[in-house]
Amino acid sequence: MARVLIVEDEPSLLKFLSQNLALRGYDVVAAADGQQGLAQARSASPDLILLDLMLPGFSGWDVLKQLAREGILERTPVIVVTAASREEDEQRARMLGATDYLVKPFGVPEMLSRIRALLPAPFGS
Amino acid sequence: MAVREQQRQLVMTADPALAWVRLVFVALVGVVVLFIGTHGPSPLLVWGVLTIVAAYAAADCFLGLYRRFRWLLTRRVYAAIDLALITFLVAITGGSSSPLYMLYSLPLAVTVLTQGARAGALYCMAVSVLYGAVGAAGSPTHSMVWVAHLGIFWGLYLLLAYVTYAEETREEKARRRDELGAMHSAATAPVHTGDIPTVVERILTGALGATHSCWVAIFLYEETDDRFVTRYSLALDDHDGDVRQEQVQVYASDVLYTVLYTGTPMAICDVHSDRRLKDSVIRREHVRAALVLPLATGDRRIGVLCFGRAETHRFSQHEMRFSETLAKQAAVAIHTAVLFEEAASIEAAKEADKLRAQLLATVSHELRTPIAAIQGFASSLRCADGLDIPKEMEQDWICEIESNAERLRRLVTDLLDLSRLEAGALRMNFEWQDLHDILEELRPNLEILAGSRKLVVQVQPSLPLVRCDAERVGQVLTNLLENAAKFSPPDSMIVVGAERHEGGVKVGVLDEGQGVPPEFRERVFERFYQVEDGSPGRQHGTGLGLAICKNIIEAHGGRIWVESSAGQGSIFYFTLPSPSTRN
């Protein structure tokens, strides 16, 4: 089963992402801040990471840099999920090693298509 | 060249009183001499004349040395008259044996001390010739006495010349040191701060000592619509060593504008008798001579530099040159400071733009978050085909949509409130209020907000009435209580207290929560600033509540702050001053 790590500090959005993915058969691991997310990325060895950028304290940018430094980015794709819609933010995220960039707000179909482009659908469909 | 011409004109209009004294004296001597001529010399008369001449010479020396009417006393024509007069007296009172020959030494002293050793030597030679002629015309038997007299005379000259030379060297050294000091302070003025008053003050302080001035001033002008307006003025007034600063108003008819327009310096030997200075700021009680110089760099005329002296004075070429150099240096320093100031204001505008862009980014982020939740859950409901979604989960999603819509509404309301408060566009409805009543009215609401926490309201009896907007103060209290409840555990205590404070009222809201770390105590009142401690549940507010509170309290003339120790809870205070203590 494909495992997805979601790093998102906003409880409503965390709920939205995790419940939708869980309903569609993904194994979901959730983290509410950067430190937690980093710890999960190390220990839970996810197949995909959904990462919010604006996190309290240890931000998404820091997480991205740390993942790159530890070599996790080489084997795990990261989709940045953020409300920061500026082009330079996207460029910077991609430069730091993010695979895709998803701007909030978005609907379920868009999210699924982005994830399916990187992960095989869990039910083989 | 024009300066020289101006100087000459002004010299002519100098104080005429002394010239009258001299004229009367010369007439008197003439009468006496005529008397001697008709009645034959008598020792009494000779000594009488001697006394008058000595008194005259003493007055001459005194005025010349101490009142510094040098330009008048040392004009060559007067020296020649003195010389001829004394020679005549010597001739009629016994020729080379006459004791009156010693009179020569008085003009000699004046000449050497005021005009220097070279002029003194010239004077000595003239005396030698004249006295020699008198001696030769008199009895030749006195030739030894005559030679001895001339020897004493030249000896006196050498002594005087030496004293003057030593004094001049000392003065020259002191002058150079002062001038270097003035140049140094103009050159090292802190121009990079763009603080023009400091630069101007520095230049003036340096110039005051170096130029023997009692009053120095700089007027900076700005050219707008073909017209100069005073941008800044500062004068240093040395009142017997007590230096005072003053800002001076310059009228449009002032002669300073002439200097500014023409760009040529102006030297004024006697300020009080010069008609051009009738309405000028330079014309003041204790300023007798003045030098006005333009401040310009390249094509840009920036102002005028003035030196005022306590006595009438003819500015020497050296003084003119030095002052012009100082003015150039000052102009460069001030112009650089102006450029730095302009650069700083551009920098500040850029900084403001950056802050605005940052705020916009934050606002957009804050607005997008609830929208993202609404859109997300709505599309989750729409795209649920083929999935087995529990009924409770669907209900929960609908609740999420509702609460996020509510959050969005609050955010928009708060943003509008805050921007109107900051623009001063939110009208406060000030009325005399008793805080006791406001708290009683709010109490049910506060109880609801406190939830399971114990709410205690402590109001000091007989609080003074304050002028405030009850609704807005209620908003502040609600916000503070909401915060207190949010950051403190259930079953803890929240205390709202009000007491008398400096004629007004001080209100405090105390909680037993985790407290605010010291580094955040100022920043919690900034927009969208939330203490980053990683604790869950930080995301309930809009991040604008405390910023709104601060703006409301400040609109009342009060102050809001937080006192706290980490882990021990915090107290948010605000004051509402009574109108009499508000400034």
Side-chain angles (χ1 to χ4, degrees), chain B residues 418-446:
Chain B
L418 191 60
S419 70
R420 275 191 303 206
L421 272 166
E422 282 181 348
L426 197 68
R427 265 177 50 114
M428 294 280 167
N429 193 8
F430 287 118
E431 270 165 21
W432 286 104
Q433 300 282 358
D434 188 345
L435 219 63
H436 192 269
D437 298 343
I438 295 180
L439 276 167
E440 274 314 304
E441 207 168 305
L442 266 176
R443 199 172 176 134
N445 274 341
L446 299 182

Side-chain angles (χ1 to χ4, degrees), chain A residues 1-4 18-28 47 112 116 119-124, chain B residues 387:
Chain A
M1 211 186 332
R3 178 171 290 177
V4 179
S18 56
Q19 286 184 351
N20 269 293
L21 291 182
L23 280 170
R24 286 169 178 81
Y26 291 96
D27 178 13
V28 175
D47 302 302
L112 288 179
R116 279 177 189 147
L119 278 185
F123 294 140
Chain B
L387 292 172

Side-chain angles (χ1 to χ4, degrees), chain A residues 76-92:
Chain A
T76 320
V78 171
I79 301 180
V80 166
V81 179
T82 178
S85 57
R86 290 182 309 168
E87 225 164 84
E88 60 252 44
D89 287 325
E90 177 163 358
Q91 270 175 10
R92 191 169 158 226

Side-chain angles (χ1 to χ4, degrees), chain B residues 231-443:
Chain B
R231 170 199 168 101
Y232 178 73
S233 78
L234 182 72
L236 293 187
D237 198 338
D238 185 356
H239 238 79
D240 304 322
D242 171 29
V243 178
R244 278 177 309 190
Q245 289 191 1
E246 51 178 333
Q247 239 87 41
V248 191
Q249 181 69 38
V250 186
Y251 296 104
S253 59
D254 201 300
V255 72
L256 297 187
Y257 282 98
T258 318
V259 174
L260 186 73
Y261 284 125
T262 58
T264 32
M266 185 183 280
I268 301 131
C269 290
D270 190 347
V271 169
H272 289 202
S273 60
D274 194 311
R275 270 201 213 93
R276 291 175 300 172
L277 303 178
K278 235 173 101 194
D279 308 319
S280 178
V281 285
I282 308 173
R283 189 155 186 157
R284 43 191 61 233
E285 198 53 48
H286 60 292
V287 172
R288 284 306 300 267
L291 194 56
V292 186
L293 302 138
L295 290 171
T297 53
D299 294 341
R300 194 163 161 178
R301 287 172 280 188
I302 55 176
V304 182
L305 170 64
C306 304
F307 298 106
R309 287 185 170 228
E311 299 94 20
T312 52
H313 177 72
R314 182 175 177 174
F315 291 95
S316 72
Q317 219 173 355
H318 174 88
E319 280 167 336
M320 294 293 295
R321 226 177 24 228
F322 165 71
S323 306
E324 277 174 52
T325 316
L326 185 64
K328 286 232 167 65
Q329 186 70 54
V332 169
I334 291 167
H335 189 221
T336 316
V338 168
L339 289 180
F340 267 106
E341 188 198 56
E342 281 168 8
S345 69
I346 292 170
E347 204 62 31
K350 269 190 192 162
E351 192 60 31
D353 272 356
K354 217 170 106 186
L355 280 177
R356 210 169 299 136
Q358 255 173 23
L359 180 68
L360 206 64
T362 318
V363 169
S364 122
H365 178 266
E366 292 297 318
L367 288 172
R368 272 165 191 271
T369 302
I371 293 172
I374 294 168
Q375 188 175 349
F377 285 113
S379 89
S380 307
L381 286 170
R382 196 169 54 80
C383 306
D385 293 348
L387 292 172
D388 183 22
I389 298 172
K391 193 91 191 131
E392 305 85 66
M393 194 181 270
E394 267 187 9
Q395 280 302 314
D396 183 38
W397 288 357
I398 292 166
C399 286
E400 282 285 353
I401 293 175
E402 241 181 346
S403 71
N404 274 290
E406 167 63 14
R407 184 172 155 192
L408 195 59
R409 185 196 65 78
R410 280 190 54 179
L411 192 61
V412 171
T413 313
D414 280 3
L415 270 172
L416 278 177
D417 269 5
L418 191 60
S419 70
R420 275 191 303 206
L421 272 166
E422 282 181 348
L426 197 68
R427 265 177 50 114
M428 294 280 167
N429 193 8
F430 287 118
E431 270 165 21
W432 286 104
Q433 300 282 358
D434 188 345
L435 219 63
H436 192 269
D437 298 343
I438 295 180
L439 276 167
E440 274 314 304
E441 207 168 305
L442 266 176
R443 199 172 176 134

